[in-house]
């Protein structure tokens, strides 16, 4: 009986060690930057704009898009500012797969939050990244936008 208990304890400690060894970036991939605390060390890496995609205002400024970086968590995510009644997609894209095997994280947002929306994070240390987003109203695509990628967007 003691031997079984000791063996179980050894397995428990080994598993606990594996969890403790997880990096903040791996733990943060796919999670909300604000709920996780990663946004506490955020900075804007690069920014762009969402533009109207059709009609008489095609090409006009519609909203703002920013690629964010968390120094603490070594992650990127995308934030946008659009009309509060819009819904759509917020995406962060890496130039190559990260250590988790991921390259893209999508987040679908709904109306509300004053029009400020953000996607989940992706670990991206040392990997170039950019943001992409769409904004819809009713059933029509209203706008889309991306952030430029340059050396400051390469983790």
């Amino acid at each position: 009986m003691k031997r079984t208990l000791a063996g179980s304890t050894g397995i428990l400690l080994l598993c606990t060690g594996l969890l403790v060894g997880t990096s903040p970036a791996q733990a943060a991939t796919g999670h909300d930057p604000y709920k996780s605390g990663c946004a506490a060390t955020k900075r804007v890496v690069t920014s762009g704009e969402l533009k109207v995609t059709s009609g008489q205002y095609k090409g006009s400024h519609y909203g703002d898009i920013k690629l964010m970086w968390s120094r603490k968590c070594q992650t990127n995510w995308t934030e946008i500012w659009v009309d509060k009644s819009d819904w759509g997609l917020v995406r962060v894209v890496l130039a190559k797969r990260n250590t988790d095997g991921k390259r893209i994280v999508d987040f679908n947002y709904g109306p509300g939050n004053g029009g400020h929306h953000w996607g989940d994070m992706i670990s991206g240390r040392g990997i170039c990244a950019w943001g992409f987003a769409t904004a819809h109203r009713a059933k029509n695509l209203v706008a889309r936008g991306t952030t430029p990628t340059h050396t400051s967007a390469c983790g």
Side-chain angles (χ1 to χ4, degrees):
M1 186 80 159
K2 274 188 171 181
R3 183 172 232 180
T4 304
L5 182 59
S8 299
T9 304
I11 291 171
L12 178 62
L13 292 173
L14 176 62
C15 291
T16 303
L18 290 173
L19 293 173
V20 171
T22 302
S23 75
Q26 288 171 325
T29 294
H31 290 89
D32 184 304
Y34 290 92
K35 289 180 181 175
S36 66
C38 293
T41 61
K42 74 179 180 179
R43 72 175 174 88
V44 176
V45 177
T46 185
S47 60
E49 63 181 324
L50 282 85
K51 293 186 176 185
V52 177
T53 57
S54 63
Q56 80 180 77
Y57 299 108
K58 183 177 181 177
S60 298
H61 177 83
Y62 186 82
D64 298 304
I65 180 171
K66 295 182 180 183
L67 178 68
M68 310 302 287
W69 173 257
S70 169
R71 185 181 70 250
K72 171 186 169 189
C73 298
Q74 305 289 291
T75 54
N76 289 106
W77 69 94
T78 303
E79 295 194 21
I80 63 167
W81 289 261
V82 294
D83 188 275
K84 65 182 179 182
S85 63
D86 293 345
W87 57 272
L89 171 79
V90 178
R91 173 181 286 166
V92 62
V93 183
L94 298 177
K96 64 180 183 177
R97 293 188 185 281
N98 64 14
T99 57
D100 300 330
K102 296 189 182 336
R103 191 171 164 255
I104 296 172
V105 173
D106 285 341
F107 182 81
N108 294 304
Y109 68 91
N113 207 39
H116 178 209
H117 305 283
W118 55 89
D120 291 334
M121 301 176 290
I122 191 166
S123 62
R125 182 181 176 109
I127 305 173
C128 297
W130 62 93
F132 171 82
T134 63
H136 301 261
R137 190 166 304 149
K139 292 186 179 184
N140 300 318
L141 175 64
V142 174
R144 73 172 61 214
T146 60
T147 61
T149 300
H150 51 77
T151 55
S152 66
C154 297

